Amino acid sequence: MLKMSKIMVVFLGLILWVCSSVMASVTYDHKALVIDGKRRILISGSIHYPRSTPQMWPDLIQKAKDGGLDVIETYVFWNGHEPSPGQYYFEDRYDLVRFVKLVQQAGLYVHLRIGPYVCAEWNFGGFPVWLKYVPGIAFRTDNGPFKAAMQKFTAKIVSMMKGEKLYHSQGGPIILSQIENEYGPVEWEIGAPGKSYTKWAAQMALGLDTGVPWVMCKQEDAPDPVIDTCNGFYCENFEPNKAYKPKMWTEAWTGWFTEFGGPVPYRPVEDLAYAVARFIQNRGSLINYYMYHGGTNFGRTAGGPFIATSYDYDAPIDEYGLIRQPKWGHLRDLHKAIKLCEPALVSVDPTVSSLGSKQEAHVFDTRSGQCAAFLANYDPSTSVRVIFGNHPYDLPPWSVSILPDCKTVVFNTAKVNAPSYWPKMTPISSFSWHSYNEETASAYADDTTTMAGLVEQISVTRDGTDYLWYMTDIRIDSNEGFLKSGQWPLLTIFSAGHALHVFINGQLSGTVYGGLDNPKLTFSKYVNLRPGVNKLSMLSVAVGLPNVGLHFDTWNAGVLGPVTLKGLNEGTRDMSKYKWSYKVGLRGEALNLYSDKGSNSVEWTKGSLVQKQPLTWYKTTFNTPAGKEPLALDMSSMSKGQMWVNGQSIGRYFPGYIASGKCNKCSYTGTFTDDKCLWNCGGPSQKWYHVPRDWLSPKGNLLVIFEEIGGNPEGISLVKRTTF
Ligand code: GAL
C-alpha cells in the first residue's frame, strides 16, 4: 500500500513537472510563438521606460492593454544603467524591474530588447560614452574589448531578470529578447568581422540561457535558433531565414521622430492598419508598434544630433500619456478583429486567390469549422466591389476587410469608426523671472586648461555636459590696415558640430548650427577687432550624440578647425595651431543653479530683464495648477537651451530652429514614407515641452532655464494638454 502511494506520488510529480514546463514555456514553430503549448498571434507595442515617469507607467500600460495589446516591448538603455564603468543605476525612470513587473501585473507579456545597441534616437544609440575610451575598442564588430563589455552588460541584465524570476520560463512575463539591433546593414558594409560578430552575439545571447527565444531584427543571417525579424513601415513580404521560424515584425513604425529643424511627421491610421492587416494575412504572427507610446527625451537622452525632446512619434498614446484618437481606437478595433481570427490564423496557412487585378483574398480555412478571410484591395485610388463566396464586398482603396467567419466583415482598415480627438494646449499661467548672467569664459582664466591646437569636444567633455568653451587671444597690431580702412577682417571657423556661439570681447558675434543630416557648420563673419588683445571665446554645443550610421561612435564634435582670420597685413592668419584654452561646461552647471541649493548660492537680478540676452539663466517658482491634465511649457518665445524643474531636467529646448520641409496634404493611400505626411512647416519644430506632474510639488516649484542665444522669458507659459 505504502509502496503504491510512493509510486503514485512520483508519477503525479512527474506529470506536474511535464505540465508546468509546458505551462511556462515559450518556443516557436513556423507559424507563431508557442506560449505554454499554444500558438499565439501577438500584438505588441513599444513603451520605453525612461521616456516617461514611473508614476505614468501603470496608466500607459493599462491604456495599451485596453488598446488590445498582449505584449509591451522595450529596449534596455545601457548608458542610463551604467553611467560610469561598473556603477549601475536602476532607480526612478531606469527602474527596469519595476517596469517589467508592472507589465506583468497588468497581465501582459514583455519583449525585452537588450541590444545593448538600441539606436532609438537615443544618445549614442544607448552606448555609454565612457565605452568609447576603453583602450583598443571598436564598437559592434569582432573586437575583444567591445565584446567583453557587451557581454558583461547583457549578462547583468539577464541575471537581474532571472533573479526576479521575470522570464516566462520562470513564470514571469518576458517571452522574448533581442540581441543587437538592425546589425544586418552594418555587417553588409564591413564584411568578415561583421559576420563573425553576428555569430558571436547570437552564441553569447543563447549562452545566457533565458529559456525564451532570442530575436535579431534586420539580420537576414541570424544564426539558428535566433529568429530574424522585420522592421519597417510595411513588412508583408518579409520572410524569416528558415521555414521553421515564425514571421514577426519587431518595429511597425506608427509615425516617425521629430528632429530640431524638421516638421512633425505623422502616419494616417488607415495606412498603419492596412500594413498590419497585410502582414497578418501573409502569415505574420507578431507585430510590435514602434512606438505605442513614444514619450519624451528628458535630460540629455536625445540622440541625433538634433533629435527633438519630444518623442511623440504620432503613437497611439501621445507624448503626454493621452490616447490619440482615432489612432488608438481604430487599432483597438483592428486588434479585436485579428483576435477573432486567431484560432484560424494559428492553425493553417492561407490560400491566396485573386479577386481582381489588384485584389486578393487570403483565406485561413481549417476545414473543421474555423475560417477567417482577409479581402485586400491594393489599388491606391479606386474602390472596388469584389465577389467572395458568392457575396459582394465593397473595398475602399488601399484597404483590407477582415472576415473572422469568412462571411461577415467586422473591420475594414480604411473605415474608421473611432472618434477623432484634437489635442489642445491651454495656457494657464506665465511666470515672473529672475535672471543670472553666465559669464563668457575667457582664455587663460584660472578655471581653464590650455593646450596647443584644437581638440575634439567629446574627448574633453566625455559628454558630461553639452558645453565646451574654446578660447584664445587674437593680437591686433596698431598698424593693421583694417583699423584705418574700416574693412574688418573675416573670421572663419570650421566646426564638426553641433552648434557654436562665437563671442568677441564678451559680445555675441553670431550663432551657427548644423542639422541631423549634416551636423558640421561654418562660422564666417567680418569681425570688429581692436588694437591689442582681443578675446575670442567660442561656446561649442553638442545637441545629442549620433545614434545611427556606420561607425557613428567615431564621429567628431566641436571646433576642429581651421580657424582663420583673413584681411590682415600678413594676409590670412591661421589660428588653428595656436594655444587654446578650454573650459568644460557652464559656470551655472558647476554651481547646480537648477537645484534649490545651487540657485540660492548666487545673486539673481529680479524683474526687468534685458531682452534677447545670450547666455542667461532664468529662474522662477510656481504652484502646481489643480487638476490632472498633463502640463507643458510653451517655449516659443525662447531660442535654444535647457530647462529644469525641481532639479529634474525637462530636456533641451530649441524653438529657434524652424521646421523646414514640405507639409503637403497627405492621403492615407499609397506607400507611406517618413516624409510623406508632415505638419508644422515654418513653425518651431518643437514649441511645447512636457513637464511631468510627478516632478511637481503642490507649491513653490523651482523652474530654471538656461538660454544660449537670447529670448523673451516673459513669453513662456505653463499650458495644460487636453483633447476635445
Ligand atoms: C529603427 C531602429 C529604431 C529606431 C527607428 C527609427 O531602424 O531600430 O531603434 O531608431 O529606426 O525611429
Side-chain angles (χ1 to χ4, degrees):
M1 188 64 190
L2 192 75
K3 220 174 173 187
M4 253 319 264
S5 64
K6 252 192 178 169
I7 292 171
M8 283 285 279
V9 168
V10 171
F11 182 65
L12 279 174
L14 205 67
I15 289 182
L16 265 175
W17 180 77
V18 170
C19 286
S20 68
S21 54
V22 172
M23 284 304 290
S25 69
V26 189
T27 56
Y28 65 79
D29 63 16
H30 73 292
K31 288 232 52 101
L33 285 183
V34 180
I35 304 180
D36 307 336
K38 232 178 120 188
R39 284 181 186 151
R40 294 295 311 277
I41 301 295
L42 293 168
I43 312 291
S44 171
S46 296
I47 301 179
H48 295 158
Y49 51 98
R51 285 176 155 146
S52 53
T53 62
Q55 292 80 2
M56 290 169 72
W57 294 344
D59 183 56
L60 296 176
I61 294 164
Q62 187 58 43
K63 283 172 173 153
K65 185 176 182 181
D66 296 345
L69 264 55
D70 307 296
V71 185
I72 302 294
E73 178 276 342
T74 182
Y75 281 129
V76 176
F77 297 87
W78 187 358
N79 49 13
H81 291 304
E82 199 177 352
S84 48
Q87 303 241 308
Y88 294 101
Y89 182 75
F90 288 95
E91 312 285 315
D92 195 30
R93 286 185 292 123
Y94 292 91
D95 193 343
L96 174 60
V97 167
R98 179 168 167 192
F99 181 77
V100 173
K101 285 188 175 170
L102 283 170
V103 178
Q104 179 176 31
Q105 278 160 29
L108 301 182
Y109 296 126
V110 171
H111 175 195
L112 196 67
R113 298 213 286 164
I114 301 181
Y117 167 67
V118 299
C119 191
E121 291 69 67
W122 190 260
N123 197 44
F124 218 36
F127 288 132
V129 172
W130 55 259
L131 194 66
K132 176 172 169 166
Y133 299 97
V134 169
I137 206 158
F139 285 11
R140 303 180 77 201
T141 186
D142 193 6
N143 168 276
F146 178 77
K147 290 193 296 187
M150 170 166 164
Q151 176 158 12
K152 189 168 165 220
F153 180 73
T154 309
K156 163 106 191 159
I157 296 299
V158 167
S159 80
M160 195 168 188
M161 297 300 112
K162 277 190 188 169
E164 300 282 341
K165 302 220 176 321
L166 292 175
Y167 283 103
H168 194 67
S169 46
Q170 306 170 288
I174 306 173
I175 52 161
L176 210 57
S177 255
Q178 179 178 298
I179 194 75
E180 250 295 341
N181 189 74
E182 297 193 334
Y183 189 67
V186 179
E187 181 186 306
W188 190 84
E189 294 268 1
I190 70 172
K195 280 198 178 10
S196 50
Y197 167 70
T198 298
K199 286 200 189 107
W200 169 84
Q203 286 315 314
M204 184 273 284
L206 292 165
L208 297 173
D209 208 13
T210 60
V212 305
W214 286 93
V215 304
M216 286 176 125
C217 62
K218 267 205 197 166
Q219 183 82 58
E220 279 171 22
D221 60 349
D224 298 340
V226 176
I227 309 163
D228 57 320
T229 62
C230 184
N231 292 349
F233 288 117
Y234 305 94
C235 276
E236 61 273 2
N237 295 325
F238 166 83
E239 287 302 328
N241 62 14
K242 293 284 164 54
Y244 54 80
K245 294 180 183 175
K247 170 167 170 168
M248 306 203 290
W249 188 0
T250 30
E251 289 181 27
W253 298 324
T254 53
W256 200 243
F257 56 84
T258 302
E259 65 194 69
F260 288 133
V264 180
Y266 63 96
R267 183 175 189 188
V269 69
E270 297 91 330
D271 177 60
L272 179 58
Y274 171 72
V276 171
R278 288 189 65 178
F279 183 71
I280 300 289
Q281 73 172 12
N282 278 7
R283 296 178 33 258
S285 62
L286 178 147
I287 170 262
N288 175 69
Y289 294 104
Y290 186 102
M291 301 294 297
Y292 196 77
H293 169 255
T296 310
N297 294 315
F298 295 116
R300 299 170 51 252
T301 60
F306 297 99
I307 297 295
T309 298
S310 168
Y311 198 64
D312 180 86
Y313 223 90
D314 195 32
I317 305 178
D318 74 18
E319 175 177 8
Y320 299 89
L322 304 177
I323 57 169
R324 171 169 276 121
Q325 290 282 47
K327 206 166 211 174
W328 181 89
H330 191 53
L331 294 177
R332 179 201 51 196
D333 297 347
L334 166 69
H335 304 151
K336 278 189 191 153
I338 292 173
K339 281 296 147 83
L340 290 172
C341 303
E342 188 175 6
L345 294 174
V346 296
S347 305
V348 283
D349 282 339
T351 310
V352 182
S353 56
S354 170
L355 301 174
S357 64
K358 288 180 182 151
Q359 293 75 33
E360 275 178 354
H362 292 233
V363 181
F364 298 77
D365 189 351
T366 63
R367 312 220 168 260
S368 56
Q370 309 280 4
C371 185
F374 291 67
L375 309 184
N377 178 13
Y378 309 128
D379 194 316
S381 45
T382 359
S383 283
V384 180
R385 172 162 291 188
V386 295
I387 304 296
F388 173 72
N390 293 327
H391 295 284
Y393 293 89
D394 289 321
L395 302 176
W398 202 255
S399 81
V400 176
S401 280
I402 301 181
L403 295 64
D405 61 355
C406 284
K407 286 195 188 86
T408 328
V409 176
V410 300
F411 183 87
N412 175 278
T413 55
K415 290 185 186 157
V416 179
N417 293 320
S420 291
Y421 293 177
W422 298 99
K424 191 173 164 196
M425 298 304 229
T426 315
I428 309 174
S429 52
S430 53
F431 307 97
S432 51
W433 296 94
H434 287 63
S435 67
Y436 173 81
N437 186 22
E438 169 81 29
E439 272 162 41
T440 313
S442 177
Y444 309 115
D446 291 350
D447 54 355
T448 65
T449 315
T450 301
M451 290 180 253
L454 294 161
V455 292
E456 198 277 333
Q457 178 159 342
I458 310 303
S459 68
V460 183
T461 63
R462 299 286 166 110
D463 201 38
T465 165
D466 278 357
Y467 304 101
L468 179 64
W469 285 101
Y470 291 72
M471 297 154 290
T472 196
D473 286 349
I474 307 178
R475 279 167 207 287
I476 297 297
D477 197 280
S478 52
N479 292 330
E480 280 295 345
F482 77 82
L483 292 170
K484 285 185 207 93
S485 69
Q487 288 280 323
W488 304 118
L490 181 68
L491 176 64
T492 305
I493 303 163
F494 288 96
S495 164
H498 309 143
L500 187 71
H501 309 297
V502 179
F503 296 84
I504 293 175
N505 297 323
Q507 295 298 311
L508 181 62
S509 170
T511 291
V512 265
Y513 40 83
L516 174 60
D517 291 337
N518 183 12
K520 291 190 180 141
L521 56 95
T522 310
F523 174 91
S524 192
K525 199 171 175 182
Y526 292 97
V527 289
N528 182 345
L529 299 173
R530 60 192 179 210
V533 172
N534 292 268
K535 294 277 176 197
L536 171 62
S537 307
M538 312 186 285
L539 183 60
S540 179
V541 191
V543 195
L545 300 187
N547 55 275
V548 69
L550 195 62
H551 306 307
F552 71 83
D553 48 297
T554 62
W555 300 355
N556 292 327
V559 183
L560 295 177
V563 177
T564 57
L565 197 57
K566 190 175 161 193
L568 302 177
N569 291 350
E570 71 207 71
T572 300
R573 188 186 291 178
D574 187 349
M575 303 187 287
S576 316
K577 302 248 156 54
Y578 269 32
K579 274 194 177 161
W580 288 85
S581 283
Y582 293 90
K583 187 178 166 204
V584 175
L586 306 169
R587 184 173 147 78
E589 287 180 302
L591 291 169
N592 281 323
L593 284 193
Y594 36 80
S595 72
D596 248 344
K597 197 166 161 225
S599 79
N600 288 330
S601 69
V602 300
E603 282 288 320
W604 296 74
T605 310
K606 195 171 171 232
S608 67
L609 298 156
V610 185
Q611 307 274 297
K612 289 262 172 204
Q613 171 149 307
L615 302 195
T616 310
W617 293 84
Y618 296 102
K619 79 161 182 175
T620 189
T621 50
F622 67 98
N623 296 339
T624 304
K628 287 210 155 65
E629 299 92 350
L631 301 173
L633 289 170
D634 179 341
M635 297 295 290
S636 42
S637 67
M638 304 299 283
S639 300
K640 177 184 188 308
Q642 294 183 43
M643 61 219 146
W644 297 261
V645 69
N646 294 331
Q648 298 265 19
S649 172
I650 299 168
R652 301 186 182 99
Y653 68 86
F654 203 164
Y657 214 150
I658 300 299
S660 68
K662 280 203 188 122
C663 291
N664 295 333
K665 195 169 166 352
C666 97
S667 152
Y668 81 86
T669 62
T671 304
F672 185 81
T673 54
D674 59 2
D675 59 358
K676 182 180 172 195
C677 299
L678 305 168
W679 65 276
N680 200 31
C681 292
S685 294
Q686 189 180 347
K687 168 173 172 179
W688 293 296
Y689 295 81
H690 183 204
V691 181
R693 276 191 181 263
D694 316 307
W695 291 352
L696 303 180
S697 315
K699 285 195 163 42
N701 299 293
L702 173 69
L703 174 63
V704 176
I705 286 169
F706 176 65
E707 168 61 45
E708 297 169 17
I709 305 170
N712 175 13
E714 302 292 339
I716 300 174
S717 56
L718 188 67
V719 302
K720 64 176 182 189
R721 176 152 177 122
T722 50
T723 50
F724 67 98

CSV table of all heavy atoms in Angstrom, one decimal, residues 9-45:
chain,number,residue,atom,x,y,z
A,9,VAL,N,2.9,9.1,-6.0
A,9,VAL,CA,3.4,10.5,-5.8
A,9,VAL,C,4.4,10.9,-6.8
A,9,VAL,O,4.4,12.0,-7.4
A,9,VAL,CB,4.0,10.6,-4.3
A,9,VAL,CG1,4.8,11.9,-4.2
A,9,VAL,CG2,2.9,10.6,-3.3
A,10,VAL,N,5.4,9.9,-7.0
A,10,VAL,CA,6.4,10.2,-8.0
A,10,VAL,C,5.8,10.5,-9.4
A,10,VAL,O,6.1,11.4,-10.1
A,10,VAL,CB,7.4,9.0,-8.1
A,10,VAL,CG1,8.4,9.2,-9.3
A,10,VAL,CG2,8.2,9.0,-6.8
A,11,PHE,N,4.8,9.6,-9.7
A,11,PHE,CA,4.2,9.7,-11.0
A,11,PHE,C,3.4,11.1,-11.2
A,11,PHE,O,3.6,11.8,-12.2
A,11,PHE,CB,3.2,8.5,-11.2
A,11,PHE,CG,2.5,8.5,-12.5
A,11,PHE,CD1,3.2,8.3,-13.7
A,11,PHE,CD2,1.1,8.7,-12.6
A,11,PHE,CE1,2.6,8.3,-14.9
A,11,PHE,CE2,0.5,8.7,-13.8
A,11,PHE,CZ,1.2,8.5,-14.9
A,12,LEU,N,2.7,11.4,-10.1
A,12,LEU,CA,1.9,12.7,-10.2
A,12,LEU,C,2.9,13.8,-10.3
A,12,LEU,O,2.7,14.8,-11.0
A,12,LEU,CB,1.1,12.8,-8.9
A,12,LEU,CG,-0.2,12.1,-8.9
A,12,LEU,CD1,-0.9,12.2,-7.6
A,12,LEU,CD2,-1.1,12.7,-10.0
A,13,GLY,N,4.0,13.7,-9.5
A,13,GLY,CA,5.0,14.8,-9.6
A,13,GLY,C,5.5,14.9,-11.0
A,13,GLY,O,5.7,16.1,-11.5
A,14,LEU,N,5.8,13.8,-11.6
A,14,LEU,CA,6.3,13.8,-13.0
A,14,LEU,C,5.3,14.5,-13.9
A,14,LEU,O,5.7,15.4,-14.7
A,14,LEU,CB,6.5,12.4,-13.5
A,14,LEU,CG,7.6,12.2,-14.6
A,14,LEU,CD1,9.0,12.6,-14.0
A,14,LEU,CD2,7.6,10.8,-15.1
A,15,ILE,N,4.0,14.1,-13.8
A,15,ILE,CA,3.0,14.8,-14.6
A,15,ILE,C,3.0,16.3,-14.4
A,15,ILE,O,3.0,17.1,-15.3
A,15,ILE,CB,1.6,14.2,-14.3
A,15,ILE,CG1,1.6,12.7,-14.9
A,15,ILE,CG2,0.5,15.0,-14.9
A,15,ILE,CD1,0.3,12.0,-14.7
A,16,LEU,N,3.0,16.6,-13.1
A,16,LEU,CA,3.0,18.1,-12.8
A,16,LEU,C,4.2,18.8,-13.4
A,16,LEU,O,4.1,19.9,-14.0
A,16,LEU,CB,3.1,18.2,-11.3
A,16,LEU,CG,1.8,18.4,-10.6
A,16,LEU,CD1,1.9,18.5,-9.1
A,16,LEU,CD2,1.1,19.7,-11.1
A,17,TRP,N,5.4,18.1,-13.3
A,17,TRP,CA,6.6,18.7,-13.9
A,17,TRP,C,6.5,19.0,-15.4
A,17,TRP,O,6.7,20.0,-15.9
A,17,TRP,CB,7.8,17.9,-13.5
A,17,TRP,CG,9.1,18.4,-14.1
A,17,TRP,CD1,9.8,19.4,-13.5
A,17,TRP,CD2,9.8,18.0,-15.2
A,17,TRP,NE1,10.9,19.7,-14.3
A,17,TRP,CE2,10.9,18.8,-15.4
A,17,TRP,CE3,9.5,17.0,-16.2
A,17,TRP,CZ2,11.8,18.6,-16.4
A,17,TRP,CZ3,10.5,16.8,-17.2
A,17,TRP,CH2,11.6,17.7,-17.3
A,18,VAL,N,6.0,17.9,-16.1
A,18,VAL,CA,5.8,18.0,-17.5
A,18,VAL,C,4.8,19.1,-17.8
A,18,VAL,O,5.0,20.0,-18.7
A,18,VAL,CB,5.3,16.6,-18.1
A,18,VAL,CG1,4.9,16.8,-19.6
A,18,VAL,CG2,6.4,15.6,-18.0
A,19,CYS,N,3.7,19.1,-17.1
A,19,CYS,CA,2.6,20.1,-17.3
A,19,CYS,C,3.2,21.5,-17.1
A,19,CYS,O,3.0,22.4,-17.9
A,19,CYS,CB,1.4,19.9,-16.4
A,19,CYS,SG,0.4,18.6,-16.9
A,20,SER,N,3.9,21.7,-16.0
A,20,SER,CA,4.3,23.0,-15.7
A,20,SER,C,5.4,23.5,-16.7
A,20,SER,O,5.4,24.7,-17.0
A,20,SER,CB,4.9,23.1,-14.2
A,20,SER,OG,6.1,22.4,-14.1
A,21,SER,N,6.2,22.5,-17.2
A,21,SER,CA,7.2,23.0,-18.2
A,21,SER,C,6.5,23.4,-19.5
A,21,SER,O,6.9,24.3,-20.2
A,21,SER,CB,8.3,22.1,-18.4
A,21,SER,OG,7.8,20.8,-18.7
A,22,VAL,N,5.3,22.7,-19.8
A,22,VAL,CA,4.6,23.2,-21.0
A,22,VAL,C,3.8,24.5,-20.6
A,22,VAL,O,3.8,25.4,-21.3
A,22,VAL,CB,3.6,22.1,-21.4
A,22,VAL,CG1,2.6,22.6,-22.5
A,22,VAL,CG2,4.3,20.9,-21.9
A,23,MET,N,3.4,24.5,-19.3
A,23,MET,CA,2.6,25.7,-18.9
A,23,MET,C,3.5,26.9,-19.0
A,23,MET,O,3.0,28.0,-19.4
A,23,MET,CB,2.2,25.5,-17.4
A,23,MET,CG,1.0,24.6,-17.2
A,23,MET,SD,-0.4,25.0,-18.1
A,23,MET,CE,-0.9,26.5,-17.2
A,24,ALA,N,4.7,26.9,-18.5
A,24,ALA,CA,5.5,28.1,-18.5
A,24,ALA,C,6.6,27.9,-19.5
A,24,ALA,O,7.8,27.7,-19.2
A,24,ALA,CB,6.1,28.4,-17.1
A,25,SER,N,6.3,28.0,-20.8
A,25,SER,CA,7.4,27.8,-21.8
A,25,SER,C,7.1,28.7,-23.0
A,25,SER,O,5.9,29.0,-23.3
A,25,SER,CB,7.4,26.4,-22.2
A,25,SER,OG,6.3,26.0,-23.0
A,26,VAL,N,8.1,29.1,-23.6
A,26,VAL,CA,8.0,29.8,-24.9
A,26,VAL,C,8.9,29.1,-25.9
A,26,VAL,O,10.1,29.0,-25.7
A,26,VAL,CB,8.4,31.3,-24.8
A,26,VAL,CG1,8.0,32.0,-26.1
A,26,VAL,CG2,7.8,32.0,-23.6
A,27,THR,N,8.3,28.6,-27.0
A,27,THR,CA,9.0,28.0,-28.1
A,27,THR,C,8.4,28.7,-29.3
A,27,THR,O,7.6,29.6,-29.2
A,27,THR,CB,8.9,26.5,-28.1
A,27,THR,OG1,7.5,26.2,-28.2
A,27,THR,CG2,9.5,25.9,-26.9
A,28,TYR,N,8.8,28.1,-30.5
A,28,TYR,CA,8.2,28.6,-31.7
A,28,TYR,C,8.2,27.6,-32.8
A,28,TYR,O,8.9,26.6,-32.7
A,28,TYR,CB,8.9,29.9,-32.2
A,28,TYR,CG,10.3,29.7,-32.6
A,28,TYR,CD1,10.6,29.1,-33.9
A,28,TYR,CD2,11.4,30.1,-31.8
A,28,TYR,CE1,11.9,29.0,-34.3
A,28,TYR,CE2,12.7,29.9,-32.2
A,28,TYR,CZ,13.0,29.3,-33.5
A,28,TYR,OH,14.3,29.2,-33.9
A,29,ASP,N,7.3,27.7,-33.7
A,29,ASP,CA,7.4,26.9,-34.9
A,29,ASP,C,7.2,27.9,-36.1
A,29,ASP,O,7.2,29.1,-36.0
A,29,ASP,CB,6.4,25.8,-34.9
A,29,ASP,CG,5.0,26.2,-34.8
A,29,ASP,OD1,4.7,27.4,-35.1
A,29,ASP,OD2,4.1,25.4,-34.5
A,30,HIS,N,6.9,27.3,-37.3
A,30,HIS,CA,6.9,28.1,-38.5
A,30,HIS,C,5.7,29.1,-38.5
A,30,HIS,O,5.6,30.1,-39.2
A,30,HIS,CB,6.8,27.2,-39.7
A,30,HIS,CG,5.4,26.6,-39.9
A,30,HIS,ND1,5.0,25.6,-39.0
A,30,HIS,CD2,4.4,26.8,-40.8
A,30,HIS,CE1,3.8,25.2,-39.4
A,30,HIS,NE2,3.4,25.9,-40.4
A,31,LYS,N,4.7,28.8,-37.6
A,31,LYS,CA,3.5,29.7,-37.6
A,31,LYS,C,3.6,30.8,-36.6
A,31,LYS,O,3.1,31.9,-36.9
A,31,LYS,CB,2.3,28.8,-37.3
A,31,LYS,CG,1.9,27.9,-38.4
A,31,LYS,CD,0.4,28.0,-38.9
A,31,LYS,CE,-0.1,29.4,-39.1
A,31,LYS,NZ,-0.2,29.8,-40.5
A,32,ALA,N,4.1,30.5,-35.4
A,32,ALA,CA,4.0,31.5,-34.4
A,32,ALA,C,4.9,31.2,-33.2
A,32,ALA,O,5.4,30.1,-33.1
A,32,ALA,CB,2.5,31.6,-33.9
A,33,LEU,N,4.9,32.1,-32.2
A,33,LEU,CA,5.5,31.8,-30.9
A,33,LEU,C,4.5,30.8,-30.3
A,33,LEU,O,3.3,31.0,-30.4
A,33,LEU,CB,5.6,33.0,-30.1
A,33,LEU,CG,6.8,34.0,-30.4
A,33,LEU,CD1,6.8,35.1,-29.4
A,33,LEU,CD2,8.1,33.3,-30.4
A,34,VAL,N,5.0,29.9,-29.5
A,34,VAL,CA,4.2,28.9,-28.9
A,34,VAL,C,4.4,29.2,-27.4
A,34,VAL,O,5.4,28.9,-26.8
A,34,VAL,CB,4.6,27.5,-29.2
A,34,VAL,CG1,3.7,26.5,-28.5
A,34,VAL,CG2,4.5,27.3,-30.8
A,35,ILE,N,3.3,29.7,-26.7
A,35,ILE,CA,3.4,30.1,-25.3
A,35,ILE,C,2.6,29.1,-24.5
A,35,ILE,O,1.4,28.9,-24.8
A,35,ILE,CB,3.0,31.5,-25.1
A,35,ILE,CG1,3.7,32.5,-25.9
A,35,ILE,CG2,3.1,31.9,-23.6
A,35,ILE,CD1,3.4,34.0,-25.8
A,36,ASP,N,3.2,28.5,-23.6
A,36,ASP,CA,2.6,27.5,-22.8
A,36,ASP,C,1.8,26.4,-23.6
A,36,ASP,O,0.7,26.0,-23.4
A,36,ASP,CB,1.6,28.1,-21.8
A,36,ASP,CG,2.2,29.2,-21.0
A,36,ASP,OD1,3.5,29.2,-20.8
A,36,ASP,OD2,1.5,30.1,-20.5
A,37,GLY,N,2.5,26.0,-24.7
A,37,GLY,CA,2.0,25.0,-25.5
A,37,GLY,C,1.0,25.5,-26.6
A,37,GLY,O,0.4,24.7,-27.3
A,38,LYS,N,0.7,26.8,-26.6
A,38,LYS,CA,-0.3,27.3,-27.6
A,38,LYS,C,0.3,28.3,-28.5
A,38,LYS,O,1.0,29.3,-28.1
A,38,LYS,CB,-1.4,28.0,-26.7
A,38,LYS,CG,-2.8,27.6,-27.0
A,38,LYS,CD,-3.7,28.3,-26.1
A,38,LYS,CE,-4.7,29.1,-27.0
A,38,LYS,NZ,-5.6,29.9,-26.2
A,39,ARG,N,0.1,28.1,-29.8
A,39,ARG,CA,0.5,29.2,-30.8
A,39,ARG,C,-0.3,30.5,-30.5
A,39,ARG,O,-1.5,30.4,-30.3
A,39,ARG,CB,0.2,28.7,-32.2
A,39,ARG,CG,1.2,27.7,-32.7
A,39,ARG,CD,0.8,27.4,-34.1
A,39,ARG,NE,1.5,26.3,-34.7
A,39,ARG,CZ,1.1,25.5,-35.6
A,39,ARG,NH1,-0.2,25.6,-36.1
A,39,ARG,NH2,1.8,24.5,-36.1
A,40,ARG,N,0.4,31.6,-30.7
A,40,ARG,CA,-0.3,32.8,-30.4
A,40,ARG,C,-0.1,33.9,-31.5
A,40,ARG,O,1.0,34.0,-32.1
A,40,ARG,CB,0.2,33.5,-29.1
A,40,ARG,CG,-0.2,32.7,-27.8
A,40,ARG,CD,-1.7,32.6,-27.6
A,40,ARG,NE,-2.3,33.9,-27.7
A,40,ARG,CZ,-2.3,34.9,-26.7
A,40,ARG,NH1,-1.8,34.6,-25.5
A,40,ARG,NH2,-2.9,36.0,-26.9
A,41,ILE,N,-1.1,34.6,-31.9
A,41,ILE,CA,-0.9,35.8,-32.7
A,41,ILE,C,-0.8,36.9,-31.6
A,41,ILE,O,-1.7,37.1,-30.8
A,41,ILE,CB,-2.2,36.1,-33.6
A,41,ILE,CG1,-2.4,34.9,-34.5
A,41,ILE,CG2,-2.0,37.4,-34.4
A,41,ILE,CD1,-1.3,34.7,-35.6
A,42,LEU,N,0.3,37.7,-31.7
A,42,LEU,CA,0.6,38.6,-30.6
A,42,LEU,C,0.6,40.1,-31.1
A,42,LEU,O,1.3,40.3,-32.1
A,42,LEU,CB,1.9,38.3,-29.9
A,42,LEU,CG,1.8,36.9,-29.1
A,42,LEU,CD1,3.2,36.5,-28.7
A,42,LEU,CD2,0.9,37.0,-27.9
A,43,ILE,N,0.0,40.9,-30.4
A,43,ILE,CA,0.0,42.4,-30.7
A,43,ILE,C,0.9,43.0,-29.6
A,43,ILE,O,0.6,42.9,-28.4
A,43,ILE,CB,-1.4,43.0,-30.7
A,43,ILE,CG1,-2.4,42.1,-31.5
A,43,ILE,CG2,-1.3,44.4,-31.1
A,43,ILE,CD1,-2.1,42.1,-33.0
A,44,SER,N,1.9,43.7,-30.0
A,44,SER,CA,2.9,44.2,-29.1
A,44,SER,C,3.0,45.7,-29.3
A,44,SER,O,2.7,46.2,-30.4
A,44,SER,CB,4.2,43.5,-29.3
A,44,SER,OG,5.2,44.1,-28.5
A,45,GLY,N,3.5,46.5,-28.3
A,45,GLY,CA,3.7,47.9,-28.5
A,45,GLY,C,4.9,48.4,-27.7
A,45,GLY,O,5.2,47.9,-26.6
